[in-house]
Amino acid sequence: MGDKAAEPEARGESGRMTGVRHVEVASAEADLRLDRWFSRHFPSLTHGRLQRLLRTGQVRVNGARAKAGQRLAAGQVVRVPPLGDETAVRREAAPVRVSEADAAALRERVLYKDDDLLAIDKPAGLAVQGGTGTGRHLDAMLDALRFGAAERPRLVHRLDRDTSGILVLARTARSAAALAEAFRTRTTTKLYWALVIGVPSPGRGEIDRPLAKRFLSKGERVAEESEEGKAAITRYAVVEPIGQRAAWVALMPLTGRTHQLRAHLAAIGTPILGDGKYGGRAAFLPELSNARHLHLHARMLILPRPRAAPLCLVAPLPPHMAATWRYFGLDPETDHDPFDLRPARRG
């Protein structure tokens, strides 16, 4: 690699590594975002400092400038500049042992499986990947979903920790590349269900508001930002209003920004039930004991297939949302199709 030979590792008198390091991406880290990779290996490195290192070209991947959201591939080499003793690289972690109970529970959530991919119904509250303060996450449990395959399943897209519903995993390196490209180019179709406080007006339309990440003392969140924000578009339709107090809403994100659906619905004055992060006190209904949980569910996902009809996956409502639907007399089994997706589901 270009600067690998030119910049040998430097060591101080104590033997500590003080210069540039070159760390190879492990096979288990394939498709991990670069900022997530740094969070795993250098947990004390702040996001702001990482961004500065990226902007000045001090962090590189295979000798080239890199971005925080860049997906890594196994075998790539990350150039890590001097970070100080407090961010010393972690030793290679031992494989996480998945308990029999966790493994069995995860297998029961499989919605679909073939030679190339499998889809699970991710429960609300389970993080997809690890991070600061997150010891239990799906990425550490993926060996439980091998089903005899030689390769470990790979993540190809994400859901927020508190969002339930369909999550697709690739079963081979080849299918991982194809699926990642499908999600990147938006040839997939995603449909979410949410219960919101208030009723969006008009009853259907598009929310077109750019969003930018903000890093606050209480963690990451996104906010509407016309100058620095990235384009973010969400199509929505009210499936069934509940008077003027709340509404069952179907959502189709046309872009994939962090927390896009949550931020957009809060921005138009109808926050998702249970979303205190974006809706504050206005996101709760005191008479519902289960309303502390986020009411956002990845209901349906349509995947294109080159030599077959599109694959349509559907996930049932999680228990806390099913209880709310019953409370308000809503019927989740009704085949609602507000965006006319049926032709894509035939076959």
Side-chain angles (χ1 to χ4, degrees), residues 194 196 198-205 235-243 246-251 270 336 338-339:
V196 302
V199 182
S201 180
R204 60 188 303 134
R235 188 172 296 163
Y236 74 89
V238 174
V239 176
E240 192 169 339
I242 306 165
W248 170 6
V249 176
L251 303 160
T270 55
H336 296 289
F339 303 117

Side-chain angles (χ1 to χ4, degrees), residues 165-188:
I166 301 167
L167 186 76
V168 172
L169 303 166
R171 302 193 72 197
T172 67
R174 178 176 295 181
S175 63
L179 287 167
E181 179 68 8
F183 281 102
R184 187 186 68 80
T185 58
R186 304 288 158 191
T187 55
T188 59

Side-chain angles (χ1 to χ4, degrees), residues 145-226:
L145 295 175
R146 280 181 182 260
F147 293 104
E151 299 181 50
R152 188 175 191 262
R154 293 170 167 84
L155 297 166
V156 293
H157 71 121
R158 310 294 186 273
L159 289 177
D160 290 347
R161 178 204 297 264
D162 296 321
T163 301
S164 59
I166 301 167
L167 186 76
V168 172
L169 303 166
R171 302 193 72 197
T172 67
R174 178 176 295 181
S175 63
L179 287 167
E181 179 68 8
F183 281 102
R184 187 186 68 80
T185 58
R186 304 288 158 191
T187 55
T188 59
T189 300
K190 301 176 184 178
L191 180 71
Y192 289 76
W193 280 0
L195 196 92
V196 302
I197 305 298
V199 182
S201 180
R204 60 188 303 134
E206 283 187 359
I207 306 169
D208 185 352
R209 302 196 183 197
L211 299 172
K213 288 184 181 180
R214 295 288 180 261
F215 297 90
L216 309 174
S217 59
K218 295 183 178 180
E220 178 185 284
R221 62 172 295 159
V222 299
E224 185 177 357
E225 177 59 65
S226 58

Side-chain angles (χ1 to χ4, degrees), residues 18 22 36 45 78 80 86 116-117 128 132 135 146 154 217 261 274 280 327 330:
T18 59
H22 295 84
R36 297 278 189 179
L45 180 66
V78 180
V80 181
E86 76 281 2
D116 297 316
L117 64 89
V128 173
T132 303
R146 280 181 182 260
R154 293 170 167 84
S217 59
L261 302 180
Y327 180 86
L330 304 173

Side-chain angles (χ1 to χ4, degrees), residues 20-345:
V20 172
R21 282 159 280 184
H22 295 84
V23 183
E24 185 173 330
V25 177
S27 58
E29 297 170 330
D31 200 42
L32 193 66
R33 284 170 54 112
L34 180 60
D35 53 1
R36 297 278 189 179
W37 184 90
F38 267 92
S39 178
R40 286 187 179 189
H41 287 268
F42 305 94
S44 299
L45 180 66
T46 66
H47 181 84
R49 188 180 178 201
L50 174 60
Q51 290 287 12
R52 288 193 295 274
L53 294 172
L54 289 165
R55 282 197 302 270
T56 56
Q58 296 182 67
V59 170
R60 293 174 177 258
V61 176
N62 279 7
R65 282 179 173 264
K67 295 183 178 180
Q70 174 176 330
R71 301 287 179 184
L72 298 173
Q76 287 183 322
V77 175
V78 180
R79 179 191 187 275
V80 181
L83 301 175
D85 293 342
E86 76 281 2
T87 53
V89 66
R90 291 176 176 175
R91 295 182 180 274
E92 185 67 26
V96 177
R97 183 181 180 278
V98 184
S99 71
E100 288 299 324
D102 277 346
L106 202 55
R107 294 186 192 109
E108 287 179 359
R109 303 193 75 89
V110 172
L111 298 168
Y112 176 85
K113 177 169 65 72
D114 63 22
D115 291 340
D116 297 316
L117 64 89
L118 59 86
I120 67 167
D121 178 12
K122 187 191 83 69
L126 177 64
V128 173
Q129 288 184 305
T132 303
T134 305
R136 184 176 183 272
H137 53 88
L138 177 65
D139 195 24
M141 304 179 188
L142 291 182
D143 280 317
L145 295 175
R146 280 181 182 260
F147 293 104
E151 299 181 50
R152 188 175 191 262
R154 293 170 167 84
L155 297 166
V156 293
H157 71 121
R158 310 294 186 273
L159 289 177
D160 290 347
R161 178 204 297 264
D162 296 321
T163 301
S164 59
I166 301 167
L167 186 76
V168 172
L169 303 166
R171 302 193 72 197
T172 67
R174 178 176 295 181
S175 63
L179 287 167
E181 179 68 8
F183 281 102
R184 187 186 68 80
T185 58
R186 304 288 158 191
T187 55
T188 59
T189 300
K190 301 176 184 178
L191 180 71
Y192 289 76
W193 280 0
L195 196 92
V196 302
I197 305 298
V199 182
S201 180
R204 60 188 303 134
E206 283 187 359
I207 306 169
D208 185 352
R209 302 196 183 197
L211 299 172
K213 288 184 181 180
R214 295 288 180 261
F215 297 90
L216 309 174
S217 59
K218 295 183 178 180
E220 178 185 284
R221 62 172 295 159
V222 299
E224 185 177 357
E225 177 59 65
S226 58
E227 294 183 2
E228 299 180 13
K230 295 182 179 180
I233 304 173
T234 300
R235 188 172 296 163
Y236 74 89
V238 174
V239 176
E240 192 169 339
I242 306 165
Q244 294 300 312
R245 300 181 60 217
W248 170 6
V249 176
L251 303 160
M252 184 189 297
L254 303 185
T255 53
R257 307 302 174 204
T258 300
H259 295 176
Q260 175 178 317
L261 302 180
R262 298 167 65 180
H264 269 173
L265 287 165
I268 65 170
T270 55
I272 298 174
L273 179 62
D275 191 7
K277 182 169 187 172
Y278 287 95
R281 293 182 179 179
F284 299 96
L285 293 174
E287 69 269 29
L288 291 177
S289 60
N290 61 344
R292 310 305 297 181
H293 301 291
L294 183 70
H295 281 55
L296 179 62
H297 179 64
R299 169 67 174 180
M300 183 167 67
L301 178 64
I302 300 174
L303 292 171
R305 291 188 289 184
R307 292 177 295 277
L311 176 64
C312 177
L313 303 165
V314 177
L317 284 176
H320 70 282
M321 289 181 67
T324 301
W325 258 240
R326 289 193 299 270
Y327 180 86
F328 287 118
L330 304 173
D331 182 8
E333 300 306 318
T334 304
D335 187 19
H336 296 289
D337 191 13
F339 303 117
D340 195 24
L341 300 177
R342 284 191 185 85
R345 301 206 302 266

